[in-house]
């Protein structure tokens, strides 16, 4: 067994590795950005595949990873983890349908609520103590899921037709353009930006360049909020126009 994940600000990495170690403490874990991830998938029959849900759909980087490596999924047994700030409906089902298309057996799915990483929308922000409580509850949910799986019973969150309808009409239908293509609306406050290059170094898409002391975005953002959360000057916004909280998992531990 191996763990494969994409994580913007650490939530999904934590959930994936927390479950993985309770099922097989020696199992390795890889980000989809790791050059060894595909080799690890080829070397195993069973894996945990984890990602955050954006607008009730897959992050574009995750969709591309699955589709570009279509041949590698054939015959694999996959358990899906989908993390979210609010709800998703069929967060796990979105990748499950792709995996089945490419010949994988989907064992089940687990939906886990985690602190919302969208730090430039005030409505979505919660006090730190509330976020810590969310993580405690998430860990309890993962513990219970691990016990079920070890007994041979897999949770099936987000895999039903009813879940698909909730995901579709809850968010996905209205935000289709945001989920089906990369985002090009990142903003930088030039008065604050010091062109330190931190944003460029953490971007999973290599979407950011620092040229002649200025930050340039290249229109291929997967909305993971890493650059936003790592900017030392709070100069970047993505969906909103003001930094309310820079969200990273380790800040709530």
């Amino acid at each position: 067994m191996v763990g494969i994940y994409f994580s913007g600000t650490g939530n999904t990495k934590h959930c994936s590795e927390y479950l993985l170690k309770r099922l097989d403490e020696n199992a390795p874990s890889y980000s989809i950005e790791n050059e060894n991830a595909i080799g690890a998938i080829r070397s195993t029959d069973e894996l945990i595949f984890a990602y955050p849900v954006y607008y009730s759909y897959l992050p574009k980087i995750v969709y591309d990873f699955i589709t570009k490596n279509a041949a590698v999924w054939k015959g694999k047994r996959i358990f899906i983890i989908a993390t979210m700030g609010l709800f998703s409906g069929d967060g796990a089902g979105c990748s499950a349908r792709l995996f089945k298309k490419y010949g994988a057996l989907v064992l089940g799915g687990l939906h886990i609520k985690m602190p919302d990483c969208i730090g430039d929308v005030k409505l979505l922000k919660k006090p730190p103590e509330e976020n810590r409580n969310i993580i405690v509850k998430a860990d309890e949910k993962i513990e219970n899921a691990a016990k079920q799986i070890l007994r041979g019973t897999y949770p099936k969150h987000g895999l039903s037709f009813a879940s698909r309808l909730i995901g579709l009409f809850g968010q996905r239908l209205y935000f289709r353009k945001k989920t089906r293509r990369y985002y090009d609306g990142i903003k930088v406050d030039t008065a604050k930006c010091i062109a330190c290059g931190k944003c460029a170094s953490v971007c999973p898409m290599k979407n950011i360049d620092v040229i002649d002391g200025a930050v340039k975005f290249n229109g291929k953002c997967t909305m993971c909020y890493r650059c936003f959360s790592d900017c030392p000057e709070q100069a970047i916004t993505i969906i909103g126009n003001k930094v309310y909280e820079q969200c990273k998992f380790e800040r709530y531990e």
Side-chain angles (χ1 to χ4, degrees):
M1 176 181 287
V2 301
I4 303 294
Y5 66 86
F6 174 70
S7 188
T9 57
N11 286 336
T12 307
K13 180 179 187 291
H14 167 76
C15 293
S16 175
E17 293 184 343
Y18 197 83
L19 177 60
L20 185 66
K21 294 306 178 186
R22 276 144 188 80
L23 299 178
D24 182 351
E25 63 179 13
N26 297 313
S29 180
Y30 301 88
S31 167
I32 63 172
E33 300 158 64
N34 190 312
E35 62 182 9
N36 296 315
I38 294 299
I41 294 168
R42 289 195 176 105
S43 70
T44 190
D45 294 325
E46 188 168 330
L47 60 126
I48 293 171
F49 191 91
Y51 52 86
V53 175
Y54 302 159
Y55 298 106
S56 291
Y57 199 57
L58 306 175
K60 187 68 166 64
I61 190 174
V62 175
Y63 177 88
D64 285 353
F65 180 81
I66 294 173
T67 56
K68 287 179 180 178
N69 297 289
V72 80
W73 309 113
K74 187 174 182 179
K76 303 300 180 184
R77 293 160 50 85
I78 303 175
F79 183 77
I80 300 164
I81 294 177
T83 62
M84 58 206 68
L86 293 173
F87 76 98
S88 71
D90 60 340
C94 291
S95 67
R97 293 189 287 274
L98 285 176
F99 287 134
K100 290 177 181 177
K101 176 182 177 181
Y102 299 134
L105 173 65
V106 174
L107 300 171
L110 181 64
H111 285 183
I112 306 172
K113 183 178 179 180
M114 291 293 281
D116 202 305
C117 71
I118 301 175
D120 52 359
V121 177
K122 188 175 183 179
L123 181 65
L124 300 176
K125 293 301 94 197
K126 299 179 177 66
E129 187 59 34
E130 186 173 346
N131 282 327
R132 282 190 283 271
N133 289 335
I134 289 173
I135 293 171
V136 169
K137 291 179 180 178
D139 287 351
E140 291 174 352
K141 189 171 188 177
I142 294 169
E143 293 273 5
N144 290 331
K147 292 175 183 177
Q148 291 180 48
I149 292 170
L150 289 171
R151 293 195 299 265
T153 303
Y154 292 85
K156 304 287 185 181
H157 301 176
L159 302 182
S160 69
F161 181 70
S163 296
R164 187 172 184 178
L165 291 179
I166 293 170
L168 179 63
F169 292 105
Q171 288 191 87
R172 195 161 58 247
L173 186 64
Y174 314 104
F175 297 102
R176 187 177 182 87
K177 289 183 179 180
K178 289 185 180 293
T179 59
R180 296 291 183 171
R181 64 188 184 190
Y182 286 108
Y183 184 65
D184 62 358
I186 310 178
K187 302 168 286 291
V188 62
D189 186 335
T190 55
K192 293 181 178 180
C193 177
I194 59 173
C196 65
K198 179 68 173 179
C199 54
S201 69
V202 299
C203 177
M205 298 303 305
K206 309 302 179 189
N207 177 55
I208 306 172
D209 294 316
V210 180
I211 302 173
D212 296 329
V215 171
K216 177 186 176 184
F217 302 108
N218 299 311
K220 204 173 182 183
C221 170
T222 193
M223 301 176 70
C224 71
Y225 269 78
R226 271 192 213 163
C227 63
F228 171 94
S229 296
D230 281 82
C231 178
E233 302 300 318
Q234 297 189 338
I236 295 173
T237 51
I238 299 179
I239 296 175
N241 296 301
K242 182 178 178 180
V243 176
Y244 294 100
E245 180 187 9
Q246 290 175 300
C247 310
K248 297 186 75 173
F249 173 78
E250 57 264 31
R251 292 177 184 163
Y252 304 125
E253 290 185 286

